[in-house]
């Protein structure tokens, strides 16, 4: 009887709408909790409005000192503390508020955001124009940007020579640097074990093309001295090391700003965007390397990338330097996404997809206030996500089971596939009837079974997996190779981004060329040769030159720079040394009255 009377009292409390709390602190705290239970006061803005008011975003960007709304997900955690105290939490109300709903329960998606891009989505160029691979590549590596690279590279070479480096140097020009870039892409298409192998002439597997573009020594000296920023400016920046004014990305900043601006200028993304991480493998000790267990390379530079999920075009990127360069108190993942989404450049109404590194209720609700819908997988242990409630998924839940909880525009969905999948979204309803095919065990055989699938999971799989081909395109003909300079690794990645984006633009405009054919034509145009014609070595380049710089010591002039003649070793089996080499082939050859290996070598080619 006492228990029955107690339940009757609880029902009277619910009917009178008196709010009870888990704690018995001060009256002010009780008033705060009373506001938490009231769901009618949440999200008073209209997500479909065409205009945007900054007043609506204030609660998510600045800390509150007074009353604030706490999501129902917080209420789940707080009420679980008192789940055994039936005197303070109405049983019926607790079950109604905290229960995970199933796919049979109807969920209503938030009002659809109106898509208002700042420009017409797609390439910002006329379809009537003829776009060659090189002209599209020059949108990202313009002649002015390459001219700046030449200026800084020449300054770095002069600095190195002043320190006593022993190699000949002539200032690199814009055309020559484009040919150098062409050779970098050629090496990405034709793989050899080392750079020197591209200039070998004594092997069945020798390739003749690189020697027709520039000599091996010239390629090496350009590689050694390639510099994106000016050396003197580097020294000034290095003096600021340890202070807030020091820029860790100073050595790549000029080119990075150019690439980012070009990516946003010559293409406007379609509605569905994806935010993801990209790792550029590097072992140089630059203080910015990161270890990423899920990546094949594991160690290198982490890039935050915004890509168009329809084709993988890189819209924007930023380099993680090991500290939060956009501190707002919300965390690195929050700031990384916000730094890539510029409403003035993009417009509004976009759908942004992300993985569990970035997803948080604060980020998704703030993006919704900015008129960006968002969807992503999430980690259960993160703050403000629902952790435990009645009717949850368990390990024994059947495959295809769905649970969901909605708080205003934000819905959290759990789905049992082979393992539990957690996704939240401000775009979709929890379940709209989508189904997927899965192979399941049936006695001793396997059969295909149709399973219900939440709408956020279907959309996430569609738009996040469609970005993966972008990373594949970057890897097919990547310009990356071993180097001890970290900023050269980043430079090579910028080459990959420029070439891949140029190919995507060409595919959007014309769509009549494969990636392999595009890269081959790009290499031919950069190197200034015809793709169809076989490379012909000019006789003017095949002249004997000293194998080393001449010394002023008369006694040593005949012995300095002597190397083994490759023709004598290959044909005669002897290790004869000679001071002469071929300028074009870059191999040492005898040139004597009784033994003219220079002539015999070139006659055999």
């Amino acid at each position: 009887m006492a228990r029955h009377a107690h339940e009757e009292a609880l029902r009277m409390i619910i009917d009178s709408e008196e709010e009870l709390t888990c704690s018995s602190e001060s009256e002010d705290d009780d008033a705060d909790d009373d506001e938490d239970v009231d769901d009618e006061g949440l999200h008073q803005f209209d997500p479909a409005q065409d205009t945007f008011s900054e007043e609506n975003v204030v609660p998510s960007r600045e800390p509150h000192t007074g009353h604030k709304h706490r999501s129902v997900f917080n209420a789940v955690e707080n009420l679980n503390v008192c789940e055994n105290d039936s005197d303070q939490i109405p049983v019926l109300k607790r079950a109604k508020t905290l229960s995970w709903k199933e796919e049979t329960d109807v969920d209503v998606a938030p009002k659809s955001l109106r898509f208002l891009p700042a420009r017409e989505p797609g390439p910002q160029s006329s379809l009537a124009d003829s776009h060659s691979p090189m002209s599209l590549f020059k949108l990202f590596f313009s002649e002015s940007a390459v001219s700046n690279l030449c200026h800084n590279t020449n300054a770095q070479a002069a600095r190195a020579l002043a320190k006593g480096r022993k190699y000949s140097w002539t200032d690199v020009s814009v055309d020559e640097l484009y040919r150098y870039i062409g050779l970098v892409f050629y090496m990405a298409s034709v793989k050899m074990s080392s750079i020197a192998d591209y200039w070998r002439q004594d092997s069945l597997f020798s390739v003749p093309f690189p020697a027709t573009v520039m000599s091996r020594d010239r390629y090496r000296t350009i590689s050694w001295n390639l510099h994106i920023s000016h050396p003197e400016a580097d020294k000034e920046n290095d003096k600021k090391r340890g202070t807030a004014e020091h820029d860790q990305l100073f050595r790549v900043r000029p080119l990075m700003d150019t690439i980012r601006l070009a990516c946003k200028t010559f293409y406007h993304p379609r509605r569905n965007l994806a935010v993801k991480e990209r790792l550029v493998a590097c072992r140089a000790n630059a203080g910015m390397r990161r270890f990423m267990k899920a990546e094949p390379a594991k160690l290198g530079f982490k890039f935050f990338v915004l890509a168009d999920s329809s084709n993988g075009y890189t819209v924007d990127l930023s380099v993680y330097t090991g500290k939060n360069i956009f501190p707002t108190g919300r965390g690195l993942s929050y700031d990384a996404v916000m730094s890539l989404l510029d409403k003035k450049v993009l417009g509004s109404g976009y759908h942004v997809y992300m993985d569990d590194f970035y997803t948080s209720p604060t980020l998704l609700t703030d993006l919704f206030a900015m008129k960006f819908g968002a969807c992503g997988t999430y980690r259960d242990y993160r703050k403000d996500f629902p952790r435990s409630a009645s009717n949850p998924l368990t390990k024994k839940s059947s495959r295809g089971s769905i649970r969901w909880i909605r708080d205003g525009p934000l819905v959290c969905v759990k789905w049992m596939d082979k393992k539990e999948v957690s996704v939240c979204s401000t775009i979709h309803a929890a379940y709209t009837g989508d189904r997927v095919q899965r192979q399941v065990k049936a006695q001793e055989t396997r059969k295909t079974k149709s399973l219900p699938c939440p709408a956020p999971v279907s959309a996430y799989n569609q738009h996040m997996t469609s970005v993966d081909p972008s990373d594949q395109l970057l890897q097919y003909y990547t310009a990356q190779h071993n180097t001890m300079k970290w900023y050269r690794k980043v430079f090579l990645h910028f080459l990959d981004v420029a070439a891949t984006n140029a190919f995507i633009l060409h595919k959007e405009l014309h769509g009549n060329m494969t990636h392999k054919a595009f890269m081959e034509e790009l290499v031919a145009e950069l190197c200034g040769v015809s793709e169809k014609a076989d490379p012909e070595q000019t006789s003017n380049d095949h002249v004997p030159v000293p194998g080393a710089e001449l010394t002023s010591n008369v006694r040593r002039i005949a012995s300095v720079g002597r190397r083994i003649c490759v023709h004598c070793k290959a044909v005669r089996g002897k290790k004869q040394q000679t001071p002469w080499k071929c300028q074009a082939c870059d191999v040492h050859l005898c040139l004597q009255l009784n033994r003219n290996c220079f002539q015999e070598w070139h006659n055999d080619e």
Side-chain angles (χ1 to χ4, degrees):
M1 290 295 292
R3 182 177 180 181
H4 178 73
H6 183 65
E7 291 183 356
E8 288 295 331
L10 290 178
R11 290 190 180 94
M12 291 176 63
I13 293 173
I14 297 172
D15 293 338
S16 63
E17 297 183 355
E18 179 180 353
E19 303 295 336
L20 298 178
T21 62
C22 292
S23 64
S24 58
E25 296 176 355
S26 65
E27 294 181 358
D28 291 339
D29 293 336
D30 290 344
D32 287 344
D33 290 342
D34 289 346
E35 292 181 1
D36 294 343
V37 181
D38 185 9
D39 292 335
E40 294 180 359
L42 305 182
H43 310 293
Q44 297 297 326
F45 57 89
D46 183 2
Q49 291 178 355
D50 294 341
T51 59
F52 176 75
S53 174
E54 296 293 340
E55 297 177 357
N56 292 332
V57 193
V58 172
S60 62
R61 295 197 175 273
E62 296 183 3
H64 291 263
T65 56
H67 300 308
K68 64 179 181 179
H69 162 66
R70 190 181 306 158
S71 72
V72 71
F73 306 143
N74 281 333
V76 172
E77 301 172 22
N78 295 334
L79 292 176
N80 281 331
V81 176
C82 305
E83 61 183 340
N84 296 324
D85 190 354
S86 60
D87 291 336
Q88 297 198 31
I89 303 300
V91 177
L92 298 180
K93 185 166 187 178
R94 184 170 69 248
K96 180 179 178 181
T97 304
L98 305 182
S99 176
W100 285 93
K101 298 181 181 180
E102 302 181 4
E103 63 269 22
T104 54
D105 299 315
V106 178
D107 181 33
V108 179
K111 203 168 183 179
S112 179
L113 297 172
R114 187 176 178 185
F115 183 43
L116 297 172
R119 296 179 294 171
E120 182 69 23
Q124 303 301 301
S125 181
S126 174
L127 291 174
D129 298 337
S130 177
H131 299 93
S132 66
M134 185 169 181
S135 65
L136 293 174
F137 177 77
K138 282 187 174 182
L139 295 178
F140 305 93
F141 270 78
S142 63
E143 292 191 3
S144 61
V146 174
S147 177
N148 188 48
L149 281 173
C150 292
H151 175 70
N152 295 330
T153 299
N154 293 330
Q156 174 64 18
R159 184 166 172 261
L161 292 174
K163 288 185 175 181
R165 293 295 177 88
K166 300 296 183 182
Y167 51 75
S168 60
W169 175 264
T170 56
D171 285 352
V172 63
S173 64
V174 172
D175 290 339
E176 188 177 21
L177 194 56
Y178 273 126
R179 293 199 300 273
Y180 171 83
I181 294 173
L183 278 182
V184 171
F185 285 134
Y186 176 84
M187 295 174 185
S189 301
V190 181
K191 300 292 186 181
M192 304 287 279
S193 59
S194 67
I195 296 296
D197 288 343
Y198 290 96
W199 281 268
R200 288 179 61 186
Q201 299 295 330
D202 59 340
S203 171
L204 176 64
F205 303 101
S206 300
V207 288
F209 177 69
T212 67
V213 180
M214 65 176 60
S215 67
R216 183 196 65 182
D217 290 348
R218 181 59 172 170
Y219 178 89
R220 281 179 166 175
T221 52
I222 293 177
S223 297
W224 294 337
N225 294 286
L226 187 68
H227 225 68
I228 300 174
S229 58
H230 198 278
E232 295 301 323
D234 290 342
K235 292 170 62 176
E236 294 299 321
N237 181 67
D238 291 341
K239 292 178 181 178
K240 303 174 184 176
R241 195 180 302 274
T243 67
E245 297 179 356
H246 179 253
D247 184 3
Q248 287 184 280
L249 297 175
F250 187 83
R251 281 174 167 80
V252 298
R253 182 74 63 185
L255 185 59
M256 183 173 70
D257 291 343
T258 300
I259 295 293
R260 292 183 64 190
L261 180 61
C263 289
K264 291 182 281 190
T265 300
F266 299 108
Y267 179 85
H268 199 77
R270 297 182 175 88
R271 186 169 197 177
N272 295 303
L273 302 172
V275 178
K276 60 185 308 180
E277 298 166 279
R278 185 182 295 162
L279 187 74
V280 176
C282 181
R283 294 187 176 275
N285 188 14
M288 295 182 290
R289 295 177 302 168
R290 287 295 167 266
F291 179 81
M292 295 177 64
K293 184 177 181 180
E295 297 292 334
K298 308 297 183 188
L299 189 66
F301 295 107
K302 179 195 285 190
F303 283 74
F304 297 118
V305 180
L306 180 68
D308 187 333
S309 66
S310 66
N311 52 25
Y313 181 93
T314 300
V315 180
D316 198 3
L317 54 83
S318 61
V319 185
Y320 179 49
T321 60
K323 61 181 180 180
N324 196 348
I325 57 177
F326 301 101
T328 63
R330 300 291 188 180
L332 172 64
S333 58
Y334 179 99
D335 295 334
V337 175
M338 286 297 188
S339 67
L340 294 172
L341 296 175
D342 189 341
K343 186 175 180 181
K344 294 181 180 179
V345 174
L346 294 173
S348 63
Y350 279 90
H351 292 169
V352 184
Y353 294 84
M354 62 196 76
D355 61 28
D356 58 4
F357 174 78
Y358 306 97
T359 309
S360 67
T362 302
L363 174 62
L364 266 64
T365 52
D366 284 3
L367 288 176
F368 192 79
M370 293 170 57
K371 298 189 182 302
F372 285 92
C375 176
T377 55
Y378 70 87
R379 303 171 184 176
D380 290 335
Y381 57 81
R382 273 202 167 172
K383 183 180 179 182
D384 294 338
F385 279 120
R387 291 190 178 91
S388 59
S390 64
N391 195 30
L393 284 180
T394 65
K395 293 182 179 180
K396 295 183 179 180
S397 297
S398 61
R399 197 169 180 182
S401 300
I402 298 174
R403 301 290 187 273
W404 61 271
I405 291 180
R406 176 171 290 281
D407 179 22
L410 181 64
V411 63
C412 288
V413 182
K414 288 182 176 293
W415 178 54
M416 182 61 71
D417 196 11
K418 283 187 176 180
K419 59 181 181 179
E420 187 179 291
V421 179
S422 302
V423 182
C424 66
S425 173
T426 58
I427 306 171
H428 312 92
Y431 179 65
T432 57
D434 295 343
R435 303 189 75 83
V436 294
Q437 304 296 319
R438 291 290 187 269
Q439 293 286 329
V440 296
K441 291 182 179 180
Q443 296 179 354
E444 296 181 357
T445 61
R446 301 183 69 88
K447 66 178 183 178
T448 302
K449 186 177 180 180
S450 178
L451 302 176
C453 182
V457 175
S458 298
Y460 177 86
N461 288 336
Q462 176 185 352
H463 297 296
M464 284 298 287
T465 56
S466 61
V467 183
D468 292 339
S470 172
D471 293 339
Q472 293 175 11
L473 289 175
L474 286 170
Q475 294 301 321
Y476 285 151
Y477 303 102
T478 179
Q480 293 291 340
H481 49 260
N482 293 334
T483 177
M484 295 303 294
K485 298 178 180 178
W486 70 266
Y487 52 85
R488 189 161 183 263
K489 276 285 188 180
V490 179
F491 168 78
L492 294 174
H493 181 66
F494 289 156
L495 287 181
D496 289 335
V497 171
T500 302
N501 276 1
F503 168 68
I504 293 173
L505 287 179
H506 190 277
K507 189 175 181 179
E508 290 280 337
L509 292 167
H510 304 290
N512 58 353
M513 187 179 290
T514 64
H515 191 202
K516 180 175 182 292
F518 178 89
M519 292 302 298
E520 289 175 351
E521 187 171 334
L522 176 61
V523 168
E525 291 178 345
L526 287 171
C527 294
V529 299
S530 173
E531 181 186 0
K532 303 299 181 183
D534 293 331
E536 295 182 0
Q537 296 181 341
T538 57
S539 59
N540 293 335
D541 292 335
H542 293 273
V543 294
V545 294
E549 293 184 6
L550 297 179
T551 178
S552 58
N553 190 340
V554 179
R555 294 184 178 181
R556 298 188 59 205
I557 195 169
S559 60
V560 171
R562 295 178 70 90
R563 297 291 185 272
I564 296 174
C565 172
V566 296
H567 188 68
C568 288
K569 182 179 179 181
V571 177
R572 299 183 176 90
K574 297 181 179 181
K575 295 183 178 181
Q576 297 285 349
Q577 290 191 339
T578 176
W580 297 101
K581 73 173 183 178
C582 175
Q583 178 176 278
C585 302
D586 196 30
V587 294
H588 280 72
L589 297 165
C590 295
L591 187 60
Q592 299 182 9
L593 293 176
N594 61 345
R595 188 172 67 251
N596 194 343
C597 294
F598 186 91
Q599 183 179 13
E600 294 176 7
W601 168 267
H602 290 93
N603 288 340
D604 293 340
E605 289 185 347

